[in-house]
Amino acid sequence: MAVVNEAVEKTLTVTVNGREVKAAPGQTVLEVARSIGVEIPTLCHDDRLEPYGACRLCLVEVEGARGPVPACATKVGDGMTVQTNTDKIRRLRKFVIELLLSNHPLDCPVCEAAGDCRLQDYAYEYEVNMSPWGWHPLQFESRDDHPNIARNPNRCILCGRCVRICRDVMGIGCWGFTNRGYDTIIDTPYNLPLEEVGCVSCGQCISTCPVGALSMKRSRYAARHWQTDKTTTICPYCGVGCEVVVHTHRDALVRTTATVGRGVNNGNLCVKGRFGFDFQNSPDRLTAPLVRDENGDLVPTTWDVALDRVEQNFKRIKAESGGSAFAVLASAKCTNEENYVLQKFTRAVLGTNNMDHCARL
Ligand code: SF4
Ligand code: FES
């Protein structure tokens, strides 16, 4: 007799802004709202992380609840009725943003995140009054001791995303909250340089920071977010095949990012994928194949000449020493199809099974 797993079978009915939606047990109000295209603002939420409920920007009204609840951290229940955009909710969100801006530096003209800053977007969307309580920008000292990660603690809104992504996704824990109240700052243990607390330069903290507190040092002042052309492609470095977005400006590659919810990497990258892009712009890159002249010096030539030379030498070696004189090493940087063609060429044309793959070593 078939066993019916009720937990899997059961669906819930939720009403969001007057519209009935089917939801699965365990889904949050935020997830269900997004599933029907209802946007709820978030600052401390990242789909790669467990709900945290810190910023209170995602507050919504739930019928029967004692007060507004955070959509990111509230699970839906059967028959729940949710309102996401009432006057009361908009007033509360505006109040939260005004509080954040009361000590946030207004250095958007030189902030790396301008144009890609959640706080900037929401301040605009909610038409915030810039300083109902005066403006008291933070005055922390900035540290600049990491080759890839630029830090500006005065722009930090203490959402804790960097702390959590480093700890929960990377399993490292470079960041933590230090001090209390107005003196709270995101810092390394004992204020040590980032590189001394296990940082592997993945840049996940940069990728999750919703403002300009953490940014990419290598692309500082290279181009505004809205100035770049963005092309989705695959990272050229290894066989994992992470999806990256390359940002180009005036024929130069200025930044690489990854998109949460896309590809095998879900917005995450390693140090090479995120920061190792400046080789693309190097003037030392080869632009033509090189062959040795009669003096043994490498000189540029055409592909036809170079490939003819390779063919002649392959034929000569095979005639003199047989196929076993060759050994072929395939690369994880190639696609499966390219590696397949290479092994076919090795066995059928060169006549050897001397073949290996770098990922096996
Ligand atoms: Fe959030 Fe960025 Fe501050 Fe980290 S540095 S707590 S991600 S605002
Ligand atoms: Fe829900 Fe911050 S996004 S509390």
Side-chain angles (χ1 to χ4, degrees):
M1 195 176 74
V3 177
V4 177
N5 184 342
E6 287 186 3
V8 172
E9 295 289 308
K10 193 171 178 195
T11 55
L12 312 175
T13 303
V14 183
T15 305
V16 179
N17 296 349
R19 189 167 153 198
E20 264 195 14
V21 197
K22 294 287 176 212
Q27 279 193 297
T28 62
V29 172
L30 181 67
E31 288 169 332
V32 173
R34 283 183 176 172
S35 74
I36 54 164
V38 171
E39 261 311 307
I40 296 175
T42 61
L43 279 173
C44 69
H45 183 76
D46 181 322
D47 284 343
R48 293 170 288 182
L49 301 170
E50 290 296 316
Y52 195 51
C55 73
R56 317 311 273 183
L57 203 63
C58 66
L59 290 178
V60 294
E61 288 190 274
V62 171
E63 208 172 276
R66 282 196 301 173
V69 298
C72 68
T74 303
K75 297 220 164 84
V76 290
D78 201 24
M80 190 185 249
T81 299
V82 183
Q83 289 293 341
T84 69
N85 204 25
T86 60
D87 286 348
K88 177 179 175 181
I89 287 298
R90 287 189 66 84
R91 269 200 313 277
L92 282 171
R93 288 179 188 154
K94 183 172 176 175
F95 176 70
V96 170
I97 301 165
E98 284 171 349
L99 280 175
L100 285 170
L101 285 183
S102 69
N103 65 2
H104 194 83
L106 301 178
D107 60 350
C108 307
V110 287
C111 177
E112 278 304 315
D116 188 27
C117 172
R118 304 281 277 275
L119 185 59
Q120 191 183 46
D121 293 344
Y122 294 143
Y124 186 79
E125 182 181 339
Y126 284 83
E127 302 174 29
V128 300
N129 183 348
M130 284 308 293
S131 50
W133 308 282
W135 181 54
H136 312 281
L138 296 169
Q139 304 278 341
F140 293 114
E141 264 180 43
S142 292
R143 286 187 70 146
D144 198 21
D145 56 6
H146 194 277
N148 294 318
I149 300 170
R151 300 160 65 179
N152 186 332
N154 297 318
R155 296 177 186 151
C156 175
I157 57 168
L158 300 174
C159 65
R161 285 165 63 157
C162 54
V163 177
R164 290 176 287 135
I165 206 159
C166 189
R167 184 191 61 207
D168 301 347
V169 174
M170 296 306 297
I172 302 173
C174 296
W175 301 112
F177 289 94
T178 303
N179 302 328
R180 291 290 178 270
Y182 284 112
D183 294 330
T184 309
I185 185 172
I186 298 294
D187 205 352
T188 54
Y190 306 106
N191 190 231
L192 286 166
L194 246 187
E195 287 182 293
E196 289 180 27
V197 294
C199 175
V200 294
S201 248
C202 62
Q204 254 66 270
C205 55
I206 295 174
S207 78
T208 195
C209 185
V211 292
L214 297 170
S215 60
M216 297 177 74
K217 193 180 272 185
R218 283 172 198 265
S219 53
R220 225 167 10 182
Y221 306 121
R224 290 315 221 163
H225 187 75
W226 60 85
Q227 290 177 310
T228 59
D229 292 323
K230 295 156 191 81
T231 308
T232 301
T233 183
I234 299 294
C235 175
Y237 273 111
C238 81
V240 173
C242 291
E243 187 177 292
V244 294
V245 181
V246 295
H247 301 235
T248 47
H249 180 54
R250 294 182 186 140
D251 290 335
L253 200 166
V254 297
R255 191 178 300 126
T256 53
T257 57
T259 308
V260 177
R262 294 286 307 263
V264 293
N265 48 316
N266 189 25
N268 301 311
L269 290 171
C270 73
V271 57
K272 294 179 292 179
R274 196 175 301 280
F275 300 112
F277 54 83
D278 32 9
F279 76 92
Q280 308 263 358
N281 304 328
S282 169
D284 298 331
R285 291 190 70 184
L286 294 181
T287 54
L290 303 176
V291 292
R292 293 201 185 276
D293 63 14
E294 54 281 2
N295 301 319
D297 295 327
L298 286 169
V299 290
T301 187
T302 64
W303 279 109
D304 282 346
V305 171
L307 291 173
D308 278 351
R309 180 81 70 89
V310 171
E311 182 189 351
Q312 287 158 17
N313 279 315
F314 276 177
K315 282 179 175 163
R316 179 182 53 76
I317 292 168
K318 192 171 176 184
E320 289 171 5
S321 312
S324 61
F326 296 104
V328 175
L329 188 59
S331 171
K333 292 184 183 179
C334 300
T335 62
N336 285 342
E337 291 78 6
E338 288 161 342
N339 277 320
Y340 176 82
V341 169
L342 183 63
Q343 68 81 30
K344 205 71 178 163
F345 176 80
T346 304
R347 296 184 216 278
V349 179
L350 296 181
T352 179
N353 289 325
N354 291 342
M355 188 172 192
D356 215 328
H357 189 280
C358 69
R360 202 187 65 79
L361 301 178

